[in-house]
Coordinates of all heavy atoms in Angstrom, one line a residue:
E19 N 19.4 243.2 1.3 CA 18.0 242.7 1.0 C 18.2 241.2 0.8 O 19.2 240.8 0.1 CB 17.5 243.4 -0.3 CG 16.2 242.8 -0.7 CD 15.8 243.5 -2.1 OE1 16.6 243.8 -2.9 OE2 14.6 243.6 -2.2
E20 N 17.3 240.4 1.4 CA 17.5 238.9 1.3 C 16.7 238.6 0.0 O 15.6 238.8 -0.3 CB 16.8 238.3 2.5 CG 17.0 236.8 2.5 CD 16.4 236.2 3.7 OE1 15.7 236.8 4.5 OE2 16.7 234.9 4.0
T21 N 17.4 237.8 -0.8 CA 16.9 237.3 -2.1 C 17.0 235.7 -2.1 O 17.9 235.2 -1.5 CB 17.6 237.8 -3.3 OG1 19.0 237.5 -3.2 CG2 17.5 239.3 -3.4
I22 N 16.0 235.1 -2.8 CA 16.0 233.6 -2.8 C 16.6 233.3 -4.2 O 16.1 233.7 -5.2 CB 14.6 233.1 -2.7 CG1 14.0 233.6 -1.3 CG2 14.6 231.6 -2.8 CD1 14.7 233.1 -0.2
V23 N 17.6 232.5 -4.2 CA 18.3 232.0 -5.4 C 18.0 230.5 -5.6 O 18.2 229.8 -4.6 CB 19.7 232.3 -5.4 CG1 20.4 231.8 -6.7 CG2 20.0 233.7 -5.3
T24 N 17.4 230.1 -6.8 CA 17.2 228.7 -7.0 C 18.3 228.1 -7.9 O 18.6 228.7 -9.0 CB 15.8 228.5 -7.7 OG1 14.8 229.1 -6.9 CG2 15.6 227.0 -7.9
K25 N 19.1 227.1 -7.4 CA 20.1 226.6 -8.1 C 20.1 225.1 -8.0 O 20.0 224.5 -7.0 CB 21.4 227.1 -7.6 CG 22.6 226.7 -8.4 CD 23.9 227.4 -7.8 CE 25.2 227.1 -8.7 NZ 26.4 227.7 -8.2
N26 N 20.0 224.4 -9.1 CA 19.8 222.9 -9.2 C 18.6 222.4 -8.4 O 18.7 221.4 -7.7 CB 21.1 222.3 -8.8 CG 22.2 222.5 -9.7 OD1 22.0 222.9 -10.9 ND2 23.5 222.5 -9.1
G27 N 17.5 223.2 -8.4 CA 16.3 222.8 -7.7 C 16.4 223.1 -6.2 O 15.4 222.8 -5.6
R28 N 17.5 223.6 -5.8 CA 17.5 224.0 -4.3 C 17.4 225.5 -4.2 O 18.0 226.3 -4.9 CB 18.9 223.5 -3.8 CG 19.1 222.0 -3.9 CD 20.4 221.6 -3.4 NE 20.3 221.6 -1.9 CZ 21.4 221.4 -1.1 NH1 22.5 221.3 -1.7 NH2 21.3 221.4 0.1
K29 N 16.7 225.8 -3.2 CA 16.5 227.3 -2.9 C 17.6 227.7 -1.8 O 17.7 227.0 -0.8 CB 15.1 227.5 -2.3 CG 14.0 227.4 -3.4 CD 12.7 227.8 -2.8 CE 11.6 227.6 -3.8 NZ 10.3 227.9 -3.3
K30 N 18.2 228.8 -2.1 CA 19.2 229.3 -1.2 C 19.0 230.8 -1.0 O 18.7 231.5 -2.0 CB 20.6 229.0 -1.7 CG 21.7 229.4 -0.8 CD 23.0 229.0 -1.5 CE 24.1 229.4 -0.5 NZ 25.5 229.0 -1.1
A31 N 19.0 231.2 0.2 CA 18.9 232.6 0.6 C 20.2 233.4 0.5 O 21.2 232.9 1.0 CB 18.2 232.9 1.9
K32 N 20.3 234.5 -0.2 CA 21.5 235.3 -0.3 C 21.1 236.7 0.1 O 20.1 237.2 -0.1 CB 22.1 235.3 -1.7 CG 22.8 234.0 -2.1 CD 23.6 234.2 -3.3 CE 24.6 233.1 -3.5 NZ 25.6 233.4 -4.5
L33 N 22.2 237.4 0.6 CA 22.0 238.9 0.9 C 22.6 239.7 -0.2 O 23.7 239.5 -0.7 CB 22.7 239.2 2.2 CG 22.1 238.6 3.5 CD1 23.0 238.9 4.7 CD2 20.7 239.0 3.7
K34 N 21.8 240.6 -0.7 CA 22.2 241.5 -1.8 C 22.3 242.9 -1.2 O 21.4 243.4 -0.6 CB 21.2 241.5 -2.9 CG 21.5 242.4 -4.0 CD 20.4 242.3 -5.1 CE 20.6 243.3 -6.2 NZ 19.5 243.3 -7.1
R35 N 23.4 243.6 -1.4 CA 23.6 244.9 -0.9 C 22.8 246.0 -1.7 O 22.8 246.0 -2.9 CB 25.1 245.3 -0.9 CG 25.4 246.6 -0.2 CD 26.8 246.8 -0.1 NE 27.1 248.1 0.6 CZ 28.3 248.6 0.7 NH1 29.3 248.0 0.3 NH2 28.4 249.8 1.3
I36 N 22.1 246.8 -1.0 CA 21.3 247.9 -1.5 C 22.1 249.2 -1.6 O 22.7 249.6 -0.6 CB 20.0 248.2 -0.8 CG1 19.2 246.9 -0.7 CG2 19.3 249.4 -1.4 CD1 17.9 247.1 0.1
Q37 N 22.3 249.7 -2.8 CA 23.1 251.0 -2.9 C 22.3 252.1 -3.6 O 22.8 253.2 -3.7 CB 24.4 250.7 -3.8 CG 25.3 249.7 -3.2 CD 26.5 249.4 -4.0 OE1 26.6 249.8 -5.1 NE2 27.6 248.9 -3.3
K38 N 21.1 251.8 -4.0 CA 20.2 252.9 -4.6 C 19.2 253.4 -3.6 O 18.9 252.7 -2.6 CB 19.6 252.3 -5.8 CG 20.5 252.0 -6.9 CD 19.8 251.5 -8.1 CE 20.7 251.1 -9.2 NZ 20.0 250.6 -10.4
N39 N 18.8 254.6 -3.8 CA 17.7 255.3 -3.0 C 18.2 255.4 -1.5 O 17.4 255.3 -0.6 CB 16.4 254.4 -3.1 CG 15.8 254.4 -4.4 OD1 16.0 255.4 -5.2 ND2 15.2 253.3 -4.8
L40 N 19.4 255.6 -1.3 CA 19.9 255.9 0.0 C 20.3 257.4 0.2 O 20.8 258.0 -0.7 CB 21.2 255.1 0.3 CG 21.0 253.6 0.3 CD1 22.3 252.9 0.6 CD2 20.0 253.1 1.3
T41 N 19.9 258.0 1.3 CA 20.2 259.4 1.6 C 21.2 259.5 2.7 O 20.9 258.9 3.8 CB 18.9 260.1 2.0 OG1 17.8 259.8 1.0 CG2 19.0 261.6 2.0
P42 N 22.3 260.3 2.5 CA 23.2 260.5 3.6 C 22.6 261.2 4.8 O 21.7 262.1 4.5 CB 24.4 261.2 3.0 CG 24.0 261.6 1.6 CD 22.7 260.9 1.3
Q43 N 23.1 260.9 6.0 CA 22.5 261.6 7.1 C 22.9 263.1 7.2 O 22.1 263.9 7.7 CB 23.0 260.9 8.5 CG 22.4 261.5 9.7 CD 22.9 260.8 10.9 OE1 23.9 260.1 10.9 NE2 22.3 261.1 12.0
G44 N 24.1 263.4 6.7 CA 24.6 264.8 6.6 C 25.6 265.1 7.7 O 26.3 264.3 8.2
I45 N 25.6 266.4 8.0 CA 26.5 266.9 9.0 C 25.9 266.7 10.4 O 24.8 267.1 10.7 CB 26.8 268.4 8.8 CG1 27.3 268.7 7.4 CG2 27.8 269.0 9.9 CD1 28.6 268.0 7.1
I46 N 26.7 266.1 11.3 CA 26.3 265.9 12.7 C 27.2 266.7 13.6 O 28.4 266.9 13.4 CB 26.2 264.5 13.1 CG1 27.6 263.8 12.9 CG2 25.2 263.7 12.3 CD1 27.7 262.4 13.5
K47 N 26.6 267.1 14.8 CA 27.4 267.9 15.8 C 28.1 266.9 16.7 O 27.5 265.9 17.2 CB 26.5 268.8 16.5 CG 27.2 269.6 17.6 CD 26.3 270.6 18.3 CE 27.0 271.4 19.3 NZ 26.1 272.2 20.1
L48 N 29.4 267.1 17.0 CA 30.1 266.2 17.9 C 29.7 266.5 19.3 O 29.5 267.7 19.8 CB 31.6 266.3 17.7 CG 32.1 265.9 16.3 CD1 33.6 266.3 16.3 CD2 32.0 264.4 16.2
D49 N 29.6 265.5 20.2 CA 29.4 265.7 21.6 C 30.6 266.5 22.3 O 30.4 267.4 23.1 CB 29.1 264.4 22.3 CG 27.8 263.8 21.8 OD1 26.9 264.4 21.4 OD2 27.7 262.5 21.9
N50 N 31.8 266.0 22.0 CA 33.0 266.6 22.5 C 33.8 267.1 21.4 O 34.1 266.4 20.4 CB 33.8 265.6 23.3 CG 33.0 265.0 24.5 OD1 32.3 265.8 25.2 ND2 33.1 263.7 24.7
P51 N 34.2 268.4 21.4 CA 35.0 268.9 20.3 C 36.4 268.1 20.2 O 36.9 267.7 21.2 CB 35.3 270.4 20.6 CG 34.3 270.7 21.7 CD 33.9 269.5 22.3
C52 N 36.8 268.0 19.0 CA 38.1 267.3 18.7 C 39.1 268.4 18.2 O 38.7 269.3 17.7 CB 38.0 266.2 17.7 SG 36.8 264.9 18.2
I53 N 40.4 268.1 18.3 CA 41.4 268.9 17.7 C 41.6 268.5 16.2 O 41.7 267.3 15.9 CB 42.7 268.8 18.5 CG1 42.5 269.4 19.9 CG2 43.8 269.6 17.8 CD1 43.6 269.3 20.8
H54 N 41.7 269.5 15.4 CA 41.9 269.3 14.0 C 43.2 268.5 13.7 O 44.2 268.8 14.4 CB 41.9 270.6 13.2 CG 41.6 270.4 11.8 ND1 42.6 270.1 10.9 CD2 40.5 270.4 11.0 CE1 42.2 270.0 9.6 NE2 40.8 270.2 9.7
V55 N 43.3 267.6 12.8 CA 44.4 266.8 12.5 C 45.6 267.7 11.9 O 46.7 267.3 12.1 CB 44.1 265.6 11.5 CG1 43.2 264.7 12.1 CG2 43.6 266.1 10.2
D56 N 45.3 268.8 11.4 CA 46.3 269.6 10.8 C 46.9 270.7 11.7 O 47.7 271.5 11.3 CB 45.8 270.3 9.5 CG 45.6 269.4 8.4 OD1 46.2 268.3 8.4 OD2 44.8 269.6 7.5
F57 N 46.4 270.7 12.9 CA 46.9 271.7 14.0 C 48.3 271.3 14.4 O 48.5 270.2 14.9 CB 45.9 271.7 15.2 CG 46.2 272.9 16.1 CD1 46.0 274.2 15.6 CD2 46.6 272.7 17.3 CE1 46.2 275.3 16.4 CE2 46.9 273.7 18.2 CZ 46.7 275.0 17.7
P58 N 49.2 272.2 14.1 CA 50.7 271.8 14.3 C 51.2 272.1 15.7 O 52.3 272.7 15.9 CB 51.4 272.7 13.3 CG 50.5 273.9 13.3 CD 49.1 273.5 13.5
V59 N 50.6 271.7 16.8 CA 51.0 271.9 18.1 C 51.1 270.5 18.8 O 50.2 269.7 18.7 CB 50.1 272.9 18.9 CG1 50.5 273.0 20.3 CG2 50.2 274.2 18.2
I60 N 52.1 270.3 19.5 CA 52.2 269.1 20.3 C 51.6 269.4 21.7 O 51.9 270.3 22.4 CB 53.7 268.7 20.5 CG1 54.3 268.4 19.1 CG2 53.8 267.5 21.4 CD1 55.8 268.2 19.1
L61 N 50.6 268.5 22.1 CA 50.0 268.6 23.3 C 50.8 267.8 24.4 O 51.0 266.6 24.1 CB 48.5 268.1 23.3 CG 47.7 269.0 22.2 CD1 46.3 268.3 22.2 CD2 47.5 270.3 22.7
W62 N 51.0 268.4 25.5 CA 51.7 267.6 26.5 C 51.1 267.9 27.9 O 50.9 269.1 28.3 CB 53.2 268.1 26.5 CG 54.0 267.5 27.6 CD1 54.1 266.2 27.9 CD2 54.9 268.2 28.4 NE1 55.1 266.0 28.9 CE2 55.5 267.3 29.3 CE3 55.3 269.5 28.6 CZ2 56.5 267.6 30.2 CZ3 56.2 269.8 29.6 CH2 56.8 268.9 30.4
E63 N 50.8 266.9 28.7 CA 50.3 267.0 30.0 C 51.3 266.6 31.0 O 51.9 265.5 30.9 CB 49.1 266.1 30.0 CG 48.4 266.2 31.4 CD 47.2 265.3 31.5 OE1 46.6 265.0 30.4 OE2 46.9 264.9 32.6

């Protein structure tokens, strides 16, 4: 969020990070399946 800060009579715009009222997107489906990182097999082509 852009906020205006007045310092010594001068106005300066600053960006303030918003961390409240945010909702996570949740679980999304992958377009291409991936191999799990804990799968103990070496792939070789």
Side-chain angles (χ1 to χ4, degrees):
E19 177 182 35
E20 187 177 10
T21 58
I22 304 296
V23 178
T24 305
K25 187 174 185 180
N26 296 334
R28 301 180 74 189
K29 291 184 180 179
K30 186 176 181 182
K32 284 195 164 191
L33 293 177
K34 179 182 174 186
R35 186 172 178 187
I36 299 174
Q37 296 180 343
K38 294 182 181 178
N39 298 327
L40 297 178
T41 308
Q43 185 182 14
I45 304 295
I46 59 172
K47 184 178 178 185
L48 296 173
D49 294 333
N50 300 317
C52 300
I53 295 180
H54 196 279
V55 296
D56 291 335
F57 190 66
V59 173
I60 299 172
L61 300 176
W62 177 49
E63 181 179 334

